[in-house]
Amino acid sequence: FPLMADQFSNARNVERVGAGLATSERSVPELRSAIERVLRDGTFRRTAERIAGEIRLQPDVGDAVAAMLSVAG
């Protein structure tokens, strides 16, 4: 169960892009069903892997800091 307020939004976003499921259910059968669906349906894995690849292509944090410092003078 989410511990911080933004985790609900994060879960909805993951579901919106097709990389997982968001659920507010806490019962074991409901959670089991969601977990089994994600594991069984390869679409979730493929979408998550595609997004991970896009993230890996993003500039390194150190590069972003260096760019900001160069602008700040």
Side-chain angles (χ1 to χ4, degrees):
F1 191 73
L3 300 175
M4 304 297 288
D6 66 336
Q7 291 178 339
F8 293 101
S9 176
N10 292 341
R12 285 190 303 272
N13 286 331
V14 167
E15 184 174 63
R16 180 179 53 78
V17 299
L21 295 174
T23 180
S24 59
E25 300 298 326
R26 293 193 211 182
S27 72
V28 171
E30 296 282 347
L31 290 173
R32 178 180 290 124
S33 175
I35 291 167
E36 288 174 347
R37 180 176 170 206
V38 168
L39 293 175
R40 185 176 55 249
D41 185 345
T43 304
F44 294 109
R45 175 185 289 274
R46 287 189 298 276
T47 301
E49 288 172 345
R50 180 184 54 79
I51 292 168
E54 292 172 5
I55 291 169
R56 279 191 297 277
L57 294 175
Q58 297 299 309
D60 183 80
V61 171
D63 294 338
V65 171
M68 288 186 279
L69 290 174
S70 71
V71 172

